Amino acid sequence: MFFKQSKTAKIIFFLVAILVTSVGSAFAAVNLQPIQAFLNRSVTFVVKGERWQPKDASGQPLTAIQYNGSNYLPVRALAEALKVPIDYDSATQTIYIGGKPGVKTPLFAMPIEIDNIYVTQTKDTAETMVNGKQFQQVLKIDQYGDVYFTLDRKYKRLVLDAAVISPGEHDVEFSLYNAASMAGNTAETVLEKHTVSPEDRMKTMIFNVEGLEKIKIHVQSPNLNPYIYARILDTSYFDNGESSATDSPSVK
């Protein structure tokens, strides 16, 4: 009896193996086409003025492939050299260069640098109650302060939710700066600025951060009032959504 069950199992397994092989062969026949190409070891690469050697996931050097007069490189190696996010969806056989659309990275999931004097990160429920709504955590800025985020050019937008709470009575400016080590003089240039008023309750601001490695958000009163009582909320996020004319700030 055991022999018959074992034999039946082997037959079923054999049939499944044939089916999988047949499906794989059919897929290959339709979607894969053999070509004649050459490894072109004479090609060298310079990225942003510096010599660059493409490597695979294990760190082994890669060589350009020449086909029909053009040189080709694995897209992942090139994307990583240019600091462009890349994802692969095996189910749909789709390569996403520049990040998957619609994917959001929460603000507090990002590397954040704060001074912990003028800016503090808190989960205290008494401090995360903002204008009648409870949040999990917030950045608390009662006077003025700077918040730094490391992006590595992975995102296009910062969607920032903020509010001014009681006893704050002044407008508060949120200014975007390029904080990369190579920013040079541009580090002092305001790239974008939005204003939140106490009357706004909670406001969504959209900053264009495409191509930036590191950013600074500077928060202060435009009239240099000493106390502003601003809050940056945990509903804020980074994404790769396309900025457009319809992406105007909204009040919640």
Side-chain angles (χ1 to χ4, degrees):
M1 184 65 177
F2 176 80
F3 172 78
K4 289 183 179 180
Q5 289 179 338
S6 177
K7 185 175 181 180
T8 301
K10 289 181 179 179
I11 293 173
I12 292 173
F13 178 80
F14 180 70
L15 291 175
V16 169
I18 292 176
L19 179 60
V20 170
T21 304
S22 299
V23 171
S25 299
F27 176 85
V30 173
N31 295 283
L32 299 179
Q33 178 181 348
I35 62 172
Q36 184 175 5
F38 303 90
L39 294 177
N40 189 354
R41 294 189 173 87
S42 63
V43 171
T44 57
F45 302 90
V46 176
V47 176
K48 296 181 180 179
E50 296 184 1
R51 183 66 67 89
W52 172 66
Q53 174 61 62
K55 296 180 180 180
D56 63 17
S58 62
Q60 296 301 311
L62 293 172
T63 301
I65 294 176
Q66 188 178 79
Y67 172 67
N68 280 353
S70 297
N71 289 297
Y72 295 84
L73 271 179
V75 65
R76 182 173 297 278
L78 190 56
E80 290 176 354
L82 299 176
K83 296 185 178 179
V84 175
I86 183 167
D87 291 287
Y88 176 65
D89 187 336
S90 59
T92 62
Q93 298 279 297
T94 303
I95 297 174
Y96 293 93
I97 302 172
K100 290 184 179 180
V103 175
K104 300 177 181 179
T105 301
L107 185 87
F108 288 103
M110 296 287 294
I112 303 177
E113 298 173 41
I114 56 177
D115 56 25
N116 289 311
I117 298 176
Y118 296 108
V119 181
T120 56
Q121 183 176 339
T122 177
K123 294 183 179 181
D124 186 325
T125 54
E127 296 180 328
T128 56
M129 176 65 74
V130 177
N131 293 335
K133 185 175 180 179
Q134 188 70 61
F135 294 86
Q136 294 296 317
Q137 58 183 323
V138 301
L139 289 176
K140 175 183 173 184
I141 309 168
D142 285 344
Q143 296 186 55
Y144 62 88
D146 295 322
V147 185
Y148 295 84
F149 298 96
T150 300
L151 312 183
D152 290 330
R153 300 182 183 179
K154 292 182 178 180
Y155 303 95
K156 293 182 180 179
R157 305 191 310 171
L158 164 59
V159 181
L160 193 71
D161 289 339
V164 177
I165 67 169
S166 179
E169 57 182 1
H170 306 290
D171 288 351
V172 177
E173 291 180 341
F174 292 76
S175 302
L176 170 68
Y177 292 83
N178 182 357
S181 58
M182 302 297 291
N185 294 333
T186 62
E188 303 301 321
T189 302
V190 177
L191 302 179
E192 200 170 336
K193 182 186 295 184
H194 296 278
T195 302
V196 179
S197 300
E199 297 78 16
D200 290 334
R201 304 289 291 174
M202 283 171 258
K203 185 173 182 179
T204 297
M205 301 165 283
I206 299 177
F207 293 88
N208 178 13
V209 298
E210 185 172 5
L212 298 178
E213 294 184 357
K214 187 175 183 179
I215 64 170
K216 176 180 77 174
I217 298 294
H218 178 69
V219 185
Q220 72 171 43
S221 163
N223 298 320
L224 301 181
N225 292 300
Y227 292 99
I228 59 176
Y229 300 100
R231 300 290 184 268
I232 294 177
L233 311 175
D234 60 9
T235 50
S236 306
Y237 59 88
F238 290 87
D239 72 2
N240 285 292
E242 295 294 337
S243 299
S244 66
T246 59
D247 286 333
S248 57
S250 62
V251 178
K252 298 180 180 180

